[in-house]
Amino acid sequence: ARPVGHRQDAAARVRVALLDDDVAREAEERLVGIVNRNAAGEWLSSSWPDYRDFRDRARTLDGVVAHRWQLVFAGRANDTERAFTEWVSGNFFDVLRVRPVLGRTFAADEQGERESAVVVLGERYWRRRFGGDAALVGQSIEVNRQAVRVIGVVPENFAGAVPGLGFDLWLPLNMHRAIAGRRVEDERGSRPLSLLARLKPGATVEQADAEIRVINDGLMREYPNTNTGIRAEVVPVGEHPDGAQRILRGPLQALAGLGLVILLLVCANV
């Protein structure tokens, strides 16, 4: 059993990324992460083909989303700056139940394999960078020198799917090649993606975990060259290993050690 304090800490991290308290309470129970480990027990991200198989085969899950983050240059032509971008599968906002404050989020025809030159902005970024101009929806901005059409704005208190990080804009993963120079959909052995899912009503984390493990066993048999030795499991979303807590773990541990040394020195001189 997981300690109560750990669950509370996890829930607090989740609430950084969600729309409001009602959604946060529901997400604490219904949103989960699908994570991988190798034979040595080290965390691994997922591939697009594995994501697609989990999404299409799982019956305990009411939607699976893939995402990754990157720094890009974004803005109007000849006036760009660094921006935090989250690359997402087309069902991202629907599965997370995020509603736009302006325009729309990604549509069904922007969830397929074809490239969709569209972008969703965060409200804080939209106000700071574009003055909150409602007429921007339907117009194009540049991301890494590629023109993309703004289709909507999501609330400022939605930060994205990586706990501890806040994103400026969201792009569909099928635009990754055009903007970042590399497709993510092709290689099962390439694992750049993090996965989140929503439990179906009545389904539990334990049931979803058991199902994903069975699906993963099948993938190991079907694709031994890329999937042998990789173990998949389902965890509560607040326990997902991807996020600022993992990125900052090394620096924070170093700072904690330095703080302890300073405390001991202070105490020794009292």
Side-chain angles (χ1 to χ4, degrees):
R2 297 180 178 90
V4 173
H6 184 77
R7 287 185 179 274
Q8 291 172 342
D9 290 344
R13 291 200 299 272
V14 171
R15 290 192 177 96
V16 173
L18 294 173
L19 192 58
D20 54 40
D21 287 341
D22 290 338
V23 175
R25 281 192 293 271
E26 190 230 2
E28 184 180 347
E29 299 176 354
R30 309 311 302 167
L31 284 181
V32 295
I34 301 175
V35 300
N36 298 302
R37 296 179 190 264
N38 61 19
E42 299 167 327
W43 295 108
L44 294 177
S45 298
S46 294
S47 69
W48 179 271
D50 283 356
Y51 152 72
R52 190 174 52 215
D53 287 329
F54 290 140
R55 179 196 66 192
D56 295 344
R57 299 183 189 186
R59 296 294 174 262
T60 57
L61 301 176
D62 191 17
V64 181
V65 301
H67 65 103
R68 65 172 302 183
W69 63 273
Q70 182 182 11
L71 276 173
V72 297
F73 284 92
R76 298 188 189 275
N78 302 316
D79 183 23
T80 61
E81 65 179 20
R82 284 186 179 273
F84 259 119
T85 299
E86 194 168 20
W87 296 93
V88 299
S89 53
N91 60 347
F92 179 81
F93 294 107
D94 290 339
V95 172
L96 295 189
R97 308 293 195 261
V98 176
R99 300 176 295 277
V101 296
L102 186 68
R104 64 175 179 84
T105 56
F106 302 128
D109 63 353
E110 291 155 349
Q111 298 182 19
E113 301 297 328
R114 73 176 184 83
E115 294 178 350
S116 306
V118 293
V119 63
V120 172
L121 305 181
E123 185 177 8
R124 189 186 304 271
Y125 177 72
W126 169 64
R127 293 190 184 280
R128 178 183 64 80
R129 194 72 177 86
F130 302 101
D133 181 9
L136 186 67
V137 173
Q139 297 182 20
S140 291
I141 64 172
E142 285 191 0
V143 178
N144 284 4
R145 299 184 180 181
Q146 299 292 322
V148 293
R149 180 167 53 89
V150 177
I151 60 171
V153 178
V154 292
E156 65 177 331
N157 55 347
F158 176 75
V162 181
L165 296 182
F167 293 96
D168 300 313
L169 50 93
W170 288 263
L171 290 161
L173 275 161
N174 55 15
M175 273 294 294
H176 198 272
R177 178 174 60 178
I179 292 177
R182 177 187 175 192
R183 280 181 64 88
V184 297
E185 298 99 327
D186 297 330
E187 301 176 9
R188 193 174 291 271
S190 175
R191 299 181 172 275
L193 303 175
S194 297
L195 306 186
L196 294 177
R198 179 175 293 277
L199 294 172
K200 282 187 174 179
T204 65
V205 174
E206 290 75 18
Q207 290 170 338
D209 180 59
E211 182 182 41
I212 288 298
R213 288 172 187 262
V214 170
I215 294 172
N216 187 70
D217 288 345
L219 295 179
M220 284 195 288
R221 291 191 296 270
E222 293 173 47
Y223 308 102
N225 291 338
T226 56
N227 288 53
T228 296
I230 296 175
R231 189 169 77 248
E233 58 189 88
V234 173
V235 298
V237 67
E239 299 176 20
H240 201 296
D242 287 339
Q245 67 273 19
R246 188 177 72 167
I247 298 165
L248 297 175
R249 183 176 298 136
L252 288 176
Q253 286 175 339
L255 286 173
L258 179 60
L260 179 59
V261 170
I262 293 173
L263 179 61
L264 291 172
L265 289 173
V266 170
C267 291
N269 287 283
V270 172

